[in-house]
Amino acid sequence: MIDNVLKRQDVPVAETWDLSDLVPNEEAYNAGVKKIVEDAKNFNNKYQGHITDAKQIVNVISDYEALAESIIPLGSFVELDLEVDQTNDAAQIRTSKFGTISSQIASLVSFVHSEILELPTELLEEAIKLAPNYTHYINRLIDKKAYQLHPEVEKTLAALGSTFDAAYGLYNTAKLVDMKFENFTVGDQSYPLSYNLFEGDWELESDTDVRRQAFKAFSEKLADYQHTTAKTYNTHVQTEKTIADLRGYDSVTDYLLFDQEVDRDLYNRQIDVIMKELAPHMRRYAKLLQKEHGLEKMTFADLKISLDPNYEPSITIEESRDYMKKALAVMGEDYLEMIDRAFEDRWIDFANNEGKSTGAFCASPYGSHSYILISWTQRMNEVFVLAHELGHAGHFRNAHKNQSLFNSESSTYFVESPSTMNEMLIANYLLNNSDDPRFKRWVIATIIARTYYHNFVTHLLEAAYQRKVYELVDAGESVNATILNNLKRSVLEEFWGEDVEINKGAELTWMRQPHYYMGLYPYTYSAGLTISTQVSHRILHEGQPAVDDWIKVLQAGGTKTPVELAQMAGVNITTDKPLQDTIAFIGSLIDQLEALTEEIHQVK
């Protein structure tokens, strides 16, 4: 457990990532920014008003892709430098300036899609024959024809890009800069508190008094900012509604699903089936936790605790590498080489410092290696978190090697499949290398508490709540803190029923998730894990042929729809079966936990 929160400058350099591979220094950054603005102006002068035939379509797309690729290192540097310390004034100012520059460039290049989409579809189909590598990209442009606005409107919307993104920046500023947590006290002991400390340590704390007091103190601080955060979020969703209406979509949901290349059936199925069919299994798990910890009642603040906290091993950063290399060896030598480089070349930011973004993520700039953010707590479950992020890194390493920029990024519906796949491979490895009942129980409990709870419960309940928000917005309503609190509480109560007390403060968990500012992202975690669960079972039973299929899926990048990518891996996500099979598997894991717990108690 971390007993203090460091300033960024006090963190050991070895625990930080090295952004110099993106931008070596400030001088290079300034020169790079100047160049991309100049290149965008030249691009505009060269092509605007001159896209008249199939050959020019191919030429402009190719040069547009090259321009976008040149911007990526600068934009990634700006974003990642701020993510590790939102209190850094220089990084804040640089981010703001780059947002303005990005909007300027977006305005300069907005003509590309406008002019291409004004041409007959036959010309676009001819361009596909001239450049088959752009097949998926051009077909997606054709799909956008119905929602394209007048070129001057598109130019204006592009110029307002940084304004449209402002809500997310405001959210992070309130959360990570302005929100200051005081120490909380239990008995005579004082404990430090921050966003990362709460989510990385206190939420998992086995001492009930400490855990619940931490939850109370954390929630009280969130409550101080609930109205500002709600106003910020309402601004974001109303902006999405305005754009959806302008473009002629039937709803905000249809607008946000368009880029994911999935329909409402896949979206609604993921939420409805899990809310109904997974809830009974997770309630059993909650009751098992309650019994093992001897709790008089089970509250929302108790749901993240370990089933066997006395068995939870701590782990060093280097030990985690060893675990992952053994567990992920099935993915091949190139994958293992990537893991070594990630540790040795400082792709990973392990530090736990003030102002650092919460949770964990992997950024994979095209033309560079990935960057992984995590706040290391030395808990064993961090191996699963880090393996998850390395799954994203492995995905984009394969996609970038085999696809151009515009073909490299898959739909967000699929993007969490490679990450959760790694969690399943870690679990398979650990289970296959021990017959000890207590160790097996710990592994299975970790799969439930980390992999499935995080993706099938935490994020799925966020998705169910988010759907209710958009239903209100589509009906012409606005939201405030009271409405959002009531919506969140209703979802939690529906899922957990009478088995878990939704204590005061639980309704404020809508304030904790940045994914709400990223479209319909929360539900995709369970969608991805549905796919990876089924494929991991294939790998477990079929071995190398299933691995080979999976590698091909990773290499395909964004050249296929989520349905097609899943089919390549042997999973049909157009039916309920993969999701229902996954839920049944979760239920079987909880059956095993109950049986192993009884066996362990009998031995005692």
Side-chain angles (χ1 to χ4, degrees):
M1 193 277 293
I2 296 169
D3 58 8
N4 67 320
V5 184
L6 298 175
K7 299 287 187 181
R8 182 68 180 179
Q9 63 265 27
D10 298 325
V11 169
V13 172
E15 295 181 10
T16 66
W17 55 26
D18 179 8
L19 299 181
S20 65
D21 287 343
L22 293 171
V23 177
N25 51 52
E26 199 72 23
E27 183 181 0
Y29 170 75
N30 291 329
V33 167
K34 184 178 180 180
K35 185 176 187 305
I36 60 173
V37 172
E38 192 64 31
D39 288 347
K41 291 177 180 177
N42 292 336
F43 176 84
N44 178 281
N45 291 332
K46 179 178 180 180
Y47 286 111
Q48 186 168 15
H50 302 296
I51 308 173
T52 56
D53 57 32
K55 185 176 181 181
Q56 277 295 79
I57 292 173
V58 173
N59 289 341
V60 73
I61 291 175
S62 178
D63 284 359
Y64 182 37
E65 185 176 50
L67 177 63
E69 191 171 338
S70 71
I71 296 170
I72 286 173
L74 300 166
S76 298
F77 168 73
V78 169
E79 177 185 345
L80 296 176
D81 193 42
L82 184 63
E83 290 283 7
V84 293
D85 186 5
Q86 299 273 349
T87 69
N88 183 332
D89 287 342
Q92 288 178 15
I93 293 170
R94 188 194 297 118
T95 300
S96 180
K97 287 182 177 179
F98 192 81
T100 302
I101 291 165
S102 296
S103 295
Q104 178 187 355
I105 293 174
S107 180
L108 285 167
V109 302
S110 67
F111 73 89
V112 174
H113 289 175
S114 294
E115 291 193 17
I116 289 176
L117 292 180
E118 285 181 331
L119 298 173
T121 300
E122 292 76 13
L123 277 182
L124 275 68
E125 292 171 345
E126 186 181 336
I128 290 174
K129 294 177 182 178
L130 293 176
N133 56 308
Y134 289 130
T135 297
H136 190 73
Y137 181 80
I138 294 174
N139 279 331
R140 290 298 289 159
L141 285 180
I142 293 172
D143 292 339
K144 286 184 178 180
K145 264 183 175 285
Y147 307 108
Q148 192 74 4
L149 301 173
H150 186 278
E152 287 303 314
V153 178
E154 293 289 352
K155 184 176 181 179
T156 301
L157 291 176
L160 290 169
S162 61
T163 303
F164 294 150
D165 293 337
Y168 180 52
L170 289 171
Y171 166 78
N172 272 329
T173 299
K175 173 181 174 181
L176 300 170
V177 181
D178 288 343
M179 199 177 294
K180 303 296 183 184
F181 293 87
E182 302 294 331
N183 286 13
F184 67 95
T185 303
V186 178
D188 296 328
Q189 181 72 39
S190 178
Y191 300 91
L193 184 61
S194 71
Y195 242 103
N196 278 317
L197 282 177
F198 177 75
E199 295 187 342
D201 265 306
W202 299 129
E203 217 174 11
L204 293 76
E205 172 61 43
S206 58
D207 186 310
T208 300
D209 290 338
V210 173
R211 179 179 66 255
R212 290 180 177 175
Q213 187 58 36
F215 180 86
K216 181 175 182 292
F218 182 75
S219 298
E220 287 174 349
K221 179 54 65 175
L222 290 185
D224 290 342
Y225 288 81
Q226 62 182 308
H227 299 293
T228 299
T229 307
K231 190 72 173 178
T232 301
Y233 182 47
N234 184 62
T235 298
H236 174 74
V237 296
Q238 297 300 335
T239 299
E240 290 177 319
K241 170 64 173 171
T242 299
I243 295 174
D245 287 348
L246 281 173
R247 293 196 178 282
Y249 288 92
D250 292 335
S251 69
V252 179
T253 299
D254 291 314
Y255 162 59
L256 296 175
L257 285 175
F258 180 85
D259 283 340
Q260 293 186 7
E261 300 183 76
V262 296
D263 57 29
R264 276 177 174 260
D265 286 343
L266 269 70
Y267 169 66
N268 287 324
R269 175 192 295 126
Q270 209 66 29
I271 298 172
D272 293 336
V273 173
I274 292 176
M275 286 293 290
K276 179 182 178 181
E277 298 187 18
L278 180 63
H281 295 305
M282 294 309 299
R283 291 176 190 177
R284 277 198 298 133
Y285 175 68
K287 297 297 284 185
L288 182 60
L289 286 177
Q290 180 181 358
K291 181 180 178 181
E292 283 300 283
H293 283 262
L295 302 176
E296 182 180 342
K297 62 180 179 180
M298 190 70 178
T299 76
F300 183 80
D302 304 318
L303 287 169
K304 297 288 186 71
I305 54 179
S306 171
L307 183 62
D308 191 352
N310 295 324
Y311 194 76
E312 178 104 15
S314 62
I315 186 168
T316 66
I317 290 172
E318 189 56 37
E319 286 170 340
S320 73
R321 169 161 51 164
D322 184 58
Y323 266 110
M324 282 185 288
K325 289 188 67 175
K326 290 175 180 176
L328 302 177
V330 67
M331 295 295 290
E333 287 300 319
D334 182 69
Y335 211 92
L336 296 184
E337 191 262 342
M338 177 198 72
I339 293 173
D340 281 332
R341 286 197 60 199
F343 281 84
E344 293 167 8
D345 296 347
R346 291 175 52 208
W347 297 6
I348 308 169
D349 200 275
F350 293 99
N352 196 324
N353 60 266
E354 181 180 313
K356 184 174 180 178
S357 291
T358 58
F361 68 75
C362 174
S364 298
Y366 192 88
S368 181
H369 57 75
S370 293
Y371 287 89
I372 294 171
L373 179 143
I374 187 172
S375 294
W376 193 258
T377 64
Q378 298 188 356
R379 292 180 184 271
M380 184 66 178
N381 75 338
E382 296 292 355
V383 176
F384 284 83
V385 179
L386 191 50
H388 176 107
E389 302 308 336
L390 283 165
H392 287 304
H395 179 196
F396 288 107
R397 179 181 176 89
N398 276 280
H400 292 175
K401 280 185 175 181
N402 290 274
Q403 305 295 339
S404 67
L405 172 60
F406 286 168
N407 285 331
S408 65
E409 190 160 347
S410 64
S411 159
T412 52
Y413 184 94
F414 177 83
V415 81
E416 294 298 337
S417 301
S419 54
T420 52
M421 168 64 80
N422 276 12
E423 295 189 54
M424 298 306 300
L425 294 178
I426 290 281
N428 289 345
Y429 168 77
L430 293 174
L431 285 173
N432 289 335
N433 281 275
S434 177
D435 293 321
D436 178 69
R438 197 171 180 191
F439 181 78
K440 289 187 72 173
R441 184 176 73 156
W442 175 83
V443 174
I444 294 170
T446 301
I447 300 170
I448 295 294
R450 158 59 215 170
T451 303
Y452 285 107
Y453 189 101
H454 187 68
N455 299 290
F456 260 70
V457 180
T458 297
H459 289 319
L460 194 280
L461 295 184
E462 290 164 357
Y465 151 84
Q466 187 183 39
R467 184 169 64 175
K468 290 177 181 290
V469 171
Y470 284 124
E471 286 171 352
L472 287 176
V473 172
D474 271 325
E477 301 292 334
S478 292
V479 294
N480 62 14
T482 301
I483 292 171
L484 296 176
N485 289 342
N486 289 338
L487 290 178
K488 187 62 180 181
R489 177 170 286 276
S490 71
V491 168
L492 294 174
E493 289 175 343
E494 178 185 350
F495 188 84
W496 292 111
E498 296 181 355
D499 295 303
V500 177
E501 177 184 308
I502 308 303
N503 45 311
K504 184 178 180 181
E507 71 280 358
L508 294 169
T509 53
W510 63 267
M511 294 177 63
R512 294 166 53 183
Q513 185 51 265
H515 289 153
Y516 297 135
Y517 297 85
M518 303 173 187
L520 297 175
Y521 197 6
Y523 91 102
T524 65
Y525 282 86
S526 61
L529 183 51
T530 299
I531 296 169
S532 63
T533 297
Q534 300 308 307
V535 178
S536 70
H537 290 167
R538 276 197 65 204
I539 291 174
L540 196 60
H541 295 104
E542 300 175 29
Q544 196 61 46
V547 173
D548 292 343
D549 285 346
W550 187 241
I551 294 294
K552 290 175 184 175
V553 171
L554 301 184
Q555 292 173 345
T559 60
K560 308 285 184 183
T561 69
V563 170
E564 292 169 336
L565 290 171
Q567 286 173 338
M568 287 175 65
V571 183
N572 181 5
I573 59 172
T574 64
T575 71
D576 290 359
K577 189 174 186 304
L579 180 54
Q580 291 174 329
D581 286 349
T582 300
I583 291 172
F585 174 64
I586 296 171
S588 73
L589 292 177
I590 296 171
D591 291 340
Q592 292 180 60
L593 286 181
E594 291 173 333
L596 286 166
T597 298
E598 185 176 345
E599 178 184 345
I600 290 166
H601 286 323
Q602 287 175 350
V603 171
K604 290 180 180 179

